[in-house]
Amino acid sequence: MPKLICICTLFLFLFIQPVWAAEPQPQRDTLTLELLQERINSPIVNQGSLTIDLREMEINLQPENKEFRDNFYKLLQDELQKNGTKPVGLDLSDSIIEGDFIGSDLGLRTPLYAQAIAPIFTETEQNQLEKLREVCLQSLAYSVPNSRDCRSLLGKDVTTSAQISVFRGSLIFKQTRFKGKVEFNNTFFLQPVEAEKAIFNDVANMTQSRFSRRVSFANANFRRQVDFGGSVFFAEANFKEAEFKKNAELRNTTFEDSANFSSANFQQLANFNRARWEGTTNFSQARFLKQTQFTKANFQDFLFLKETSFLQSVIFREVQFNLPVNMRGASILSQADFSDAVFAKGAYLNVPSLIFNSDKAKILGNPGEIGARLRIPRLSGNQNVLRNLIQNFRQLQQISDANELEYSKQHLYSKYLIRRLLDANINDASKKRLINLGFAKVQAEAIIKRRQNEPFQVKSELLTLADIDEETFTQLASRFVVGETLTPAKRLLQTWKWLGLSLLLLLSGYGTNFYLVFGVGIIAIAFFSVLFWLVDRFRRLHPNKIVPTVYETTWMLGSFAISTLFGLIAIFRNTPQPLLTLACIIFIIVPLPVFLLFRLYQEGRYHDLMDTSYFTEDGTLRQLRLLIGRLPVIPRYELFRERYKHLLWNRRWNWLNYYDFSLNNLLKLGFNDVRLRDEHLPGIISTLAWYQWVLGILYITLVLWTLSRTIPGLNLLIYLK
């Protein structure tokens, strides 16, 4: 028997919640007409305003309680609508309301024409009503207004008497449970609306409502459809951690101030089509379980989608973004459609740490545009994000967008390499350098002691040291890197890797921009054409003058200027760093040729065949031909000399031959096979030709590589050949 008593006691202790542990429930009184009249006659003061206190009540507004329901609305209307300088509010916090709650019937019906507004309103209230006209004018600028009040205000339906229900006092229903429908459609709230943790068991109709002051539905639970269609929020709208179990309709809604939907949960369709957001919009950590629609929405300020989850498709078609969109850590598990979205200057999608699998999800957008709008600030931790985004656009055959992201990826990698070379490495920096970075002496000693036992793998490991606080780490994290110690050989190899990558980025956008490569080639061809023309036609002034004619000089320099101009246009239009690209081109093609040219004129030319061109052309054929295997100097075989004839200086079109030779050397393509002669040829001129020929091998490789990356399927043709 004692054992049985012990077992029962233990069972009661474990499975029956004690009274003191249960959440306290308010003791609610049933609202009667007498109690209602008493509360109306003795309002309380809430935040400086008179308020009818109906807190912790059970209010029965069901059809079978018709007499009470009719008197309930009548008594409240008489009090809430009475004339007075101080409006009276209504507090329904912690109450349970049975039946439908027609809140719009509690407001004062009034026309919205400025001259017809009821004199009961104070000057401040009349100004608030007048603000609606400005919103209608704004809506006309961006979309056709479809609300009855807007049509009347804008003179589009003069026969309609635009009236609206005006709720003058504050409305409070914190933790209120509405078991029936809630109707506040076409209502203008002049004071704050506080509905934290309210529960709506049935449909909530807020269409065409106007909220003049702050609105809070934080932690509210909408168990059926909620409709704010066509509403206007003039002040802050707070829906933080709200629960939308059915469709959430906020189409054509205007948010004049900030809107906070952080951590909200949308379990069914979320419709924000044509919504206008004037202030900061925060959807951080919100969850959208079904389709989400933002078609033709307008975001005038920042949009935050940090760690937001989209389990089904999200549609941003024809949306206008005026400022950057923060999508750090967002999850796109189905499809995100940005087709025809308009991004203002400086607007973009910031997508670091984006959770996105290109095998299961898609990001859609206008070809050639959407790729440039996706931004990732650093490579660390985002390599997989970039890989998935690139694969996404390649699967969609949007090669230009994939290449844009490929360029961004390699650009970030270039910045990473230069930081590894120049910034202090926390694993090998000396104590003095650590102190110069900003660490205290004690902190530098702690770092050195820690890395002697085990090197740091990531920056955040510094926070495991007792001497380093989070503030110091945050300030200094951008000044150092964490990695293996670079030996001289590894440093040299990494420097070469960075240099090669930088050249590819500057000269071709890492093989993603053919027009950039084309511009580089035009400038190089024009420069070497003028160089060889000068070497061949301007030889000496004494004792016998050998110089080009004025006509030839004019055509040569004019064609050089025009060609260079086209090259500059191509470069400046197709690279974000045109000056660096030009500096790179100049560094490659100018120093060595100019030095050789200087030495040539310094030494002078005293050899046979001074009055004959250094260049020869194949006299047997004149046709466009590929000259991949051709070398810049003709062979010494006698029969070849018979085929190749010296250029004729007395022809007016002779200057074109120098462009032909430059094309042959750089592009391996020309209208005629022009080469250097093999007799009485100064070594400096031969060196110049061979230098351009080597550059041509590299350039034609760059051209083919770029074409293979920019034209789908061409890579197969090139590689199979």
Side-chain angles (χ1 to χ4, degrees), residues 336-399:
D337 188 354
F338 292 90
S339 300
D340 299 315
V342 178
F343 292 85
K345 185 178 181 181
Y348 55 87
L349 304 176
N350 190 38
V351 293
S353 304
L354 180 71
I355 300 174
F356 170 73
N357 188 334
S358 59
D359 294 332
K360 300 179 180 178
K362 293 180 181 179
I363 294 181
L364 307 178
N366 291 359
E369 297 179 11
I370 184 63
R373 300 299 181 180
L374 299 172
R375 303 285 180 85
I376 293 180
R378 62 184 181 185
L379 187 63
S380 178
N382 292 300
Q383 293 179 348
N384 193 52
V385 176
L386 284 164
R387 187 183 305 111
N388 282 328
L389 289 173
I390 293 169
Q391 184 178 354
N392 169 79
F393 290 117
R394 291 203 181 278
Q395 290 175 347
L396 296 173
Q397 294 297 306
Q398 295 183 209
I399 303 302

Side-chain angles (χ1 to χ4, degrees), residues 312-315 317 332-337 361-364:
Q312 297 295 328
S313 61
V314 54
I315 301 172
R317 292 177 191 155
I332 298 177
L333 304 181
S334 181
Q335 176 176 294
D337 188 354
K362 293 180 181 179
I363 294 181
L364 307 178

Side-chain angles (χ1 to χ4, degrees), residues 606-618:
Y606 307 96
H607 55 73
D608 294 336
L609 301 177
M610 276 294 290
D611 295 330
T612 306
S613 175
Y614 294 125
F615 297 91
T616 60
E617 61 178 345
D618 185 356

Side-chain angles (χ1 to χ4, degrees), residues 627-641:
L627 303 166
I628 299 296
R630 161 206 174 280
L631 298 179
V633 183
I634 65 171
R636 294 176 56 192
Y637 188 53
E638 295 293 338
L639 293 179
F640 271 92
R641 290 181 184 172

Side-chain angles (χ1 to χ4, degrees), residues 122-367:
T122 65
E123 182 179 355
T124 301
E125 292 173 336
Q126 292 186 25
N127 291 335
Q128 288 176 293
L129 289 170
E130 188 65 21
K131 287 173 65 177
L132 182 58
R133 182 185 299 273
E134 300 175 8
V135 175
C136 287
L137 292 173
Q138 283 184 351
S139 67
L140 180 64
Y142 293 95
S143 61
V144 178
N146 54 9
S147 65
R148 183 160 55 93
D149 52 357
C150 279
R151 287 199 305 271
S152 180
L153 283 172
L154 297 173
K156 294 186 177 297
D157 190 2
V158 294
T159 61
T160 303
S161 177
Q163 289 199 348
I164 193 168
S165 177
V166 180
F167 205 98
R168 299 180 64 202
S170 60
L171 183 61
I172 306 172
F173 35 89
K174 296 179 179 179
Q175 302 186 66
T176 304
R177 178 173 294 180
F178 297 92
K179 292 191 174 181
K181 295 180 181 179
V182 177
E183 295 279 352
F184 274 109
N185 58 307
N186 207 32
T187 304
F188 202 143
F189 299 91
L190 299 182
Q191 298 299 325
V193 176
E194 301 178 20
E196 292 89 345
K197 297 184 179 180
I199 299 175
F200 300 85
N201 284 309
D202 210 324
V203 174
N205 183 5
M206 309 278 185
T207 57
Q208 304 295 334
S209 294
R210 308 290 184 263
F211 300 89
S212 183
R213 300 291 177 86
R214 70 181 186 277
V215 178
S216 178
F217 285 92
N219 296 101
N221 192 327
F222 299 94
R223 296 180 177 177
R224 297 290 295 276
Q225 177 173 311
V226 56
D227 194 344
F228 283 92
S231 297
V232 180
F233 295 84
F234 289 99
E236 177 187 356
N238 184 10
F239 289 84
K240 183 178 181 181
E241 298 183 19
E243 186 87 11
F244 299 87
K245 293 184 179 296
K246 297 296 182 180
N247 291 358
E249 295 286 343
L250 288 96
R251 64 198 180 282
N252 296 307
T253 307
T254 300
F255 296 87
E256 293 285 311
D257 206 321
S258 60
N260 185 3
F261 288 84
S262 60
S263 301
N265 193 355
F266 298 85
Q267 298 187 16
Q268 296 295 328
L269 172 69
N271 185 354
F272 296 94
N273 291 340
R274 295 181 181 271
R276 181 172 175 82
W277 317 75
E278 294 284 344
T280 302
T281 306
N282 188 1
F283 281 97
S284 298
Q285 297 181 342
R287 283 175 55 83
F288 295 89
L289 304 185
K290 297 295 182 180
Q291 188 182 77
T292 309
Q293 299 176 357
F294 287 95
T295 302
K296 295 186 178 181
N298 189 309
F299 295 93
Q300 293 290 315
D301 211 316
F302 292 102
L303 170 60
F304 290 93
L305 297 172
K306 294 174 60 177
E307 300 180 19
T308 305
S309 299
F310 298 99
L311 275 67
Q312 297 295 328
S313 61
V314 54
I315 301 172
F316 288 97
R317 292 177 191 155
E318 301 182 59
V319 171
Q320 180 175 335
F321 299 106
N322 277 14
L323 289 174
V325 180
N326 191 341
M327 298 182 68
R328 181 184 295 272
S331 301
I332 298 177
L333 304 181
S334 181
Q335 176 176 294
D337 188 354
F338 292 90
S339 300
D340 299 315
V342 178
F343 292 85
K345 185 178 181 181
Y348 55 87
L349 304 176
N350 190 38
V351 293
S353 304
L354 180 71
I355 300 174
F356 170 73
N357 188 334
S358 59
D359 294 332
K360 300 179 180 178
K362 293 180 181 179
I363 294 181
L364 307 178
N366 291 359

